[in-house]
Amino acid sequence: MCTKNNERTECFACGACCVAFSISTLGKESGEACNYLSEDGLCGIYSKRPDVCREFVPDEICVLIQGLSFEEKVEVIKKIYGM
Ligand code: SF4
Ligand code: SF4
């Protein structure tokens, strides 16, 4: 969801946040992969992504979930954010 060059925590481009969150402006439900998520885990519309995506920044959760499977990452994010 984020740039790999974020000044705070690095985004590992796992793509899990682009699946876990619901994004109403994109008509995307929680747990559904965003149509703009590319296979390399990056955003296909990065310069035009919705505000909600711009506001999301990588944090310690990204580090904590690194060793998990993709499905586990999505589930952990959903649980942490109460989805
Ligand atoms: S628009 Fe881009 S940043 Fe937002 S959920 Fe989709 S792929 Fe991720
Ligand atoms: S969950 Fe974290 S590491 Fe994975 S793509 Fe989103 S911001 Fe990047």
Side-chain angles (χ1 to χ4, degrees):
M1 181 174 269
C2 306
T3 173
K4 283 182 172 176
N5 300 314
N6 190 282
E7 289 175 5
R8 282 169 270 193
T9 302
E10 180 183 4
C11 171
F12 303 102
C14 73
C17 56
C18 299
V19 175
F21 291 102
S22 63
I23 302 176
S24 57
T25 52
L26 297 177
K28 179 184 125 32
E29 302 291 337
S30 172
E32 182 182 284
C34 177
N35 288 333
Y36 302 108
L37 179 62
S38 60
E39 285 186 13
D40 58 6
L42 298 177
C43 177
I45 56 165
Y46 190 73
S47 63
K48 296 177 180 174
R49 68 198 187 287
D51 288 344
V52 65
C53 302
R54 293 174 188 277
E55 289 159 11
F56 186 84
V57 292
D59 58 19
E60 64 275 9
I61 297 169
C62 302
V63 178
L64 289 172
I65 64 175
Q66 241 193 310
L68 302 179
S69 70
F70 184 78
E71 290 73 21
E72 289 170 333
K73 287 175 183 172
V74 171
E75 285 310 308
V76 168
I77 292 172
K78 286 172 69 176
K79 271 189 189 163
I80 289 173
Y81 283 90
M83 295 178 279

